[in-house]
Amino acid sequence: MSSPAGSSTIGGGEAGEELDSEPLTDAVRDFPVAVVIHVEGAIRYANLAAARLHGMQSPISLVGCQAREFVHPDDLSQALERGRRVRETGIAAPPMDLRLRRQDGGYVPVQSHISLTHFKGEAAVLAVYSDISEKKAAEEALRQSEANLRYVMD
């Protein structure tokens, strides 16, 4: 059950629904980085770090949602093309920085790694997201510092 496209509501799993247990999902359940598995765009698994990245208490809130609902509109076409290439070729995509929507409507910058996997016998995309908020803030502070230095030097 997913929210309608364009809706600001985020959440998909039914209350009491349990996450599937498979060797892959068992292995990544407690990873400190967000891990999401989607089949044909529908999120079928998310770990606790993914829920927290999106500002949610439980990964079940992500299950059933369309992965594209969480990608910033300016990043969406590139992210969809990247996913299409991974599904067609089976080759993992190079890392990509993008913004993911949080439950509160704000966005968090992440570095995304995706590859092809299988989930319950179906071809699926495995996405791993690392929060790069601190990196982006440091880059912006450096840009500001360099701009200030250029101003003073001129």
Side-chain angles (χ1 to χ4, degrees), residues 9 12-13 29 34 39 47 50 53 62 70 76 84 98 100 112 117-118 124-125 130 137 139 150-151:
T9 303
R29 180 172 291 122
V39 176
N47 69 355
L53 182 76
L62 292 163
F70 299 99
L76 186 57
R84 184 194 61 74
L98 56 88
L100 294 178
S112 165
T117 191
H118 285 85
V125 173
S130 301
E139 288 171 352
R150 278 193 300 277
Y151 178 76

Side-chain angles (χ1 to χ4, degrees), residues 6-45:
S7 169
S8 63
T9 303
I10 298 177
E14 293 293 333
E17 184 178 348
E18 292 188 23
L19 293 177
D20 296 313
S21 180
E22 288 199 352
L24 176 61
T25 58
D26 288 345
V28 300
R29 180 172 291 122
D30 297 321
F31 271 22
V33 294
V35 178
V36 174
I37 298 172
H38 52 89
V39 176
E40 296 182 14
I43 297 173
R44 299 280 297 274
Y45 172 83

Side-chain angles (χ1 to χ4, degrees), residues 144-154:
Q144 283 293 342
S145 178
E146 289 171 343
N148 291 343
L149 181 59
R150 278 193 300 277
Y151 178 76
V152 170
M153 298 299 280
D154 288 340

Side-chain angles (χ1 to χ4, degrees), residues 55-139:
M56 299 175 181
Q57 295 296 315
S58 169
I60 283 295
S61 299
L62 292 163
V63 174
C65 293
Q66 291 294 309
R68 69 183 297 148
E69 293 177 27
F70 299 99
V71 179
H72 190 282
D74 294 344
D75 302 331
L76 186 57
S77 64
Q78 186 178 3
L80 291 173
E81 174 60 22
R82 194 166 163 254
R84 184 194 61 74
R85 279 195 312 266
V86 166
R87 285 188 308 279
E88 286 181 1
T89 67
I91 299 170
M96 174 187 168
D97 290 359
L98 56 88
R99 293 157 289 180
L100 294 178
R101 187 165 54 94
R102 296 179 46 84
Q103 186 174 27
D104 64 10
Y107 287 90
V108 59
V110 298
Q111 184 170 74
S112 165
H113 298 262
I114 63 171
S115 63
L116 193 63
T117 191
H118 285 85
F119 186 78
K120 296 199 169 281
E122 296 180 88
V125 173
L126 170 70
V128 178
Y129 303 112
S130 301
D131 183 341
I132 57 170
S133 298
E134 290 180 13
K135 175 186 169 200
K136 291 292 186 182
E139 288 171 352

